Each structure stands twice: as C-alpha cells, then as structure tokens.
C-alpha cells in the first residue's frame, strides 16, 4: 500500500517505516513526503505540472533554464546599472552586523532605513569585497519588499519578466509584488515564514537557503519581543531605539547556523533542507515554509510574491500553530 500511495520503491518505504518507529510522526511524514534535498527541474514546468507536482503538495524545487531569456543575466553589470539607475534614490537597510528584522538581545530589532543613490550602494559593495563585519561601518542591504523593482527601479523592468507566465496561469493571478535584492555578504535574513508563493530568481552571485517545512512548526520556537530600530551615530556606532507604545512582536529566536539546543532542545528534531541557488536559477519557495537566507557579496536577485490561497492547507497550519501553543511550543 505504501508503495502505491507514495510511489516509492519497497526498500525506500521500508526504511521510512522503520524510521517512523524511532522519530516523531511529523518528521516521519516529512521523510516520506520531501526527501532529503531540494530537487532540480531542468526546464520550467507547465502550469498543470507545476500545480499538480509542486504547488498543491507545497514542495520546494530549484528550476534551471527558467530565466535564461532574461536580458538581465547578461546586462546587469555594475557599469550598466550605474548608467541605467545610478542616480535613483533607493531604500537601503543598514545594520551593525547584517541581521535586519531579527532578535538582538531582548528586542526584535529592525534596520535603519536609509535613502541613498543606487550608485553609492554599488560603490560601497564593490569597495568592501566581502569578508568580516565591522560594526562601525554597518552592513548595507537593498531588501525593501513593497514591490521594490517596480516602485524604485522601474527602468530595469524591461530586463526581466513582469510575471512568471506558468506561475500566473497555475494560480490564476498576477504577482502581488516584484522585489529587487542587492547587498553585502554579511547581510542575513533571519528565520521566518511568509504567506506568499515565492519564486526567487538569482541574477548574479548565489543565495544560500535553509528551509524548514510547515510540519516542523512544533519544533520551531517563537517568543514575544519589544520592537526597536537600529540607529547609526555620527561615529559609526549603533544605538537600539525602542518603538514607543508598540505591541510585542512574535519572532523566532533560533539561529539555524548555530542553534542553542540547550535552550531550545525541540529544534534538534527539526529537519532543515539546505540549498544554494546560483545565477540563472529559480527557487520555488512554497508559502508557509520557514527560511533563512545568506548570499555572496554583491548578489543580485529578483523575486515574485504571489498571494497564497487561504484554503485547507492554511487551516491545517493554523491548527498546528494552535496545538503548538497549547503544548507550550510558542
């Protein structure tokens, strides 16, 4: 029966069943459902194929050759970007250590948002060349997520697709936002989840993702933190400025690069998938998947956010959230 239902070989199913006797049920199901790595597709799928094999099962994949026709892959050199949009003012997140929107001490701290010419950001990234973090210089990352490509750099839209046709057909909708990402190697996106179907396309450099399925929610802790914002002084040091009269923010305190398993032992039961998305590749990151992101110095990416369907999948996740709260695994 397992062989028919899960389309696995008898030996693979036997190993999975044996594992179920030794590990929590959610991790057992993940083994049957996900495998141990993010699979690759060599060509973009048809809308039906994508809907059936990836969207409905809520499974990630890396797609090659999906954006090979984009002019951006060959055109977006520093010289071209300076000529096309160098004088445009863009929103840049600045932090002392690279972690924006993350737990810092006993606060949830957001970055200082700074407006600067795009060419100045390019100059800064090129002059630093990666390496360690100097807390008095700050770490810079263009990460604004309110459709930053279309809102702040519309001159570049002709170099990419305004939507991903097979994704739009599979979902029956257009993307809610198209975002532009450029930053330093030290810039890190802390572990979180989004209510979007996400197609993440790397133009140059590479992105390193740690992914955890929604079924791992019981092992992922949340705590409540007062919100605050980084503010850089004239001498280069940073203050943490509390937000006045603001509600506490639920956020994940675990760093998957160095988890504190003494404090959060349940995280040791989570089952992260690691993957690297390189120039010319696209990651399908399903809605509600937890993800942590790093990058190479000067990596450029564009991503498409499509609103998720708030269907039975969302209700199942909400049930899991509620059960986690009852069990004290907030």
């Amino acid at each position: 029966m397992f062989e028919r239902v899960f389309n696995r070989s008898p030996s693979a199913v036997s190993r999975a069943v044996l594992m179920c006797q030794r590990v929590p049920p959610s991790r057992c199901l993940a083994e049957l459902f996900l495998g141990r790595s993010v699979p690759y597709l060599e060509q973009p799928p048809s809308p039906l194929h994508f809907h059936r094999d990836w969207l409905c099962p809520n499974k990630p994949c890396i797609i090659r050759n999906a954006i090979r026709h984009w002019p951006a892959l060959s055109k977006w050199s520093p010289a071209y970007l300076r000529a096309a949009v160098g004088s445009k003012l863009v929103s840049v997140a600045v932090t002392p250590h690279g972690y924006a929107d993350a737990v810092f001490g006993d606060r949830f701290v957001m970055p200082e948002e700074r407006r600067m010419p795009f060419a100045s950001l390019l100059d800064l990234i090129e002059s630093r060349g990666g390496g360690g973090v100097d807390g008095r210089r700050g770490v810079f990352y263009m990460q604004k997520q309110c459709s930053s490509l279309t809102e702040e750099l519309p001159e570049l839209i002709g170099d990419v697709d305004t939507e991903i046709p097979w994704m739009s057909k599979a979902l029956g909708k257009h993307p809610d936002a198209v975002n532009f990402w450029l930053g330093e190697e030290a810039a890190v996106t802390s572990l979180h989840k989004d209510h979007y179907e996400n197609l993440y396309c790397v133009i140059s450099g590479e992105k390193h993702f740690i992914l955890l399925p929604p079924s791992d929610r019981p092992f992922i802790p949340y705590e409540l933190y007062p919100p605050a914002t980084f503010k850089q002084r004239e001498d280069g040091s940073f203050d943490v400025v509390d937000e006045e009269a603001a509600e506490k923010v639920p956020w994940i305190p675990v760093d998957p690069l160095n988890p504190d398993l003494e404090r959060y032992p349940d995280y040791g039961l989570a089952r992260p998938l690691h993957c690297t998305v390189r120039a010319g590749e696209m990651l399908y990151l399903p809605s509600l998947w937890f993800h942590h992101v790093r990058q190479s110095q000067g990596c450029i990416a564009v991503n498409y956010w499509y609103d998720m369907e708030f269907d039975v999948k969302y209700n199942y996740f909400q049930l899991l959230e509620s059960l986690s709260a009852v069990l004290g695994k907030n």
Side-chain angles (χ1 to χ4, degrees):
M1 178 179 177
F2 272 156
E3 290 85 343
R4 291 199 309 274
V5 173
F6 295 105
N7 195 26
R8 298 287 185 94
S9 67
S11 60
V13 172
S14 298
R15 288 195 301 272
V17 171
L18 287 173
M19 187 190 71
C20 287
Q21 300 172 1
R22 302 191 297 270
V23 301
S26 61
R27 190 167 177 180
C28 167
L29 292 172
E31 174 66 17
L32 290 168
F33 164 58
L34 292 172
R36 300 191 177 189
S37 62
V38 178
Y40 283 84
L41 303 182
E42 293 301 324
Q43 299 292 335
S46 68
L48 176 61
H49 175 201
F50 182 74
H51 197 282
R52 180 192 64 203
D53 294 343
W54 307 102
L55 184 65
C56 283
N58 196 237
K59 293 170 59 175
C61 62
I62 296 173
I63 307 166
R64 294 176 171 138
N65 300 306
I67 60 172
R68 61 185 176 184
H69 60 286
W70 284 11
L73 290 175
S74 59
K75 291 174 66 176
W76 282 9
S77 65
Y80 173 82
L81 293 173
R82 281 190 179 89
V85 293
S87 62
K88 296 294 294 286
L89 290 177
V90 295
S91 301
V92 179
V94 186
T95 63
H97 46 44
Y99 282 79
D101 301 319
V103 174
F104 181 71
D106 59 353
R107 299 286 191 272
F108 170 77
V109 188
M110 295 166 282
E112 176 183 330
E113 280 208 3
R114 193 175 300 177
R115 298 284 288 174
M116 61 191 301
F118 188 82
S120 297
L121 176 61
L122 284 175
D123 292 342
L124 185 148
I125 291 172
E126 287 187 312
S127 67
R128 294 185 176 180
V133 176
D134 181 345
R136 290 185 177 272
R137 296 190 310 177
V139 176
F140 290 69
Y141 192 18
M142 187 174 173
Q143 60 155 30
K144 194 173 180 67
Q145 298 162 34
C146 299
S147 205
S148 57
L149 180 64
T150 58
E151 295 300 315
E152 295 198 331
L153 299 172
E155 296 84 355
L156 299 180
I157 293 174
D159 295 336
V160 301
D161 287 338
T162 55
E163 62 182 335
I164 306 301
W166 45 267
M167 179 64 146
S168 296
K169 290 181 180 178
L171 286 169
K173 64 182 73 171
H174 301 295
D176 186 62
V178 183
N179 301 308
F180 180 95
W181 307 80
L182 168 65
E184 298 188 68
E185 182 180 21
V188 176
T189 302
S190 67
L191 190 63
H192 70 288
K193 70 179 188 302
D194 297 311
H195 294 79
Y196 290 102
E197 308 294 349
N198 189 350
L199 292 178
Y200 205 102
C201 310
V202 176
I203 307 300
S204 63
E206 57 187 32
K207 292 273 185 174
H208 310 286
F209 287 82
I210 299 175
L211 309 177
L212 295 105
S215 56
D216 275 356
R217 171 61 185 89
F219 313 134
I220 298 173
Y222 274 85
E223 295 181 359
L224 291 173
Y225 298 92
T229 304
F230 286 117
K231 182 67 176 177
Q232 191 171 26
R233 297 180 178 180
E234 290 185 3
D235 65 1
S237 62
F238 282 81
D239 290 325
V240 174
V241 180
D242 288 331
E243 299 282 316
E244 295 184 6
E247 295 185 1
K248 290 186 176 182
V249 176
W251 206 257
I252 300 168
V254 169
D255 181 355
L257 297 175
N258 185 28
D260 184 349
L261 297 182
E262 288 190 7
R263 186 172 181 182
Y264 306 108
D266 286 345
Y267 185 78
L269 299 173
R271 194 172 167 281
L273 300 177
H274 296 253
C275 67
T276 296
V277 185
R278 297 177 173 83
E281 295 179 340
M282 170 192 290
L283 170 68
Y284 167 54
L285 176 55
S287 57
L288 303 178
W289 273 65
F290 299 91
H291 51 287
H292 173 280
V293 192
R294 294 171 294 143
Q295 63 194 339
S296 60
Q297 182 73 6
C299 176
I300 299 176
V302 171
N303 86 302
Y304 298 77
W305 269 345
Y306 287 80
D307 281 329
M308 69 171 288
E309 295 295 329
F310 291 87
D311 52 13
V312 66
K313 174 180 64 178
Y314 177 74
N315 285 304
Y316 282 145
F317 182 79
Q318 290 299 103
L319 174 62
L320 197 57
E321 287 264 40
S322 299
L323 291 174
S324 297
V326 169
L327 295 172
K329 300 178 184 295
N330 293 334

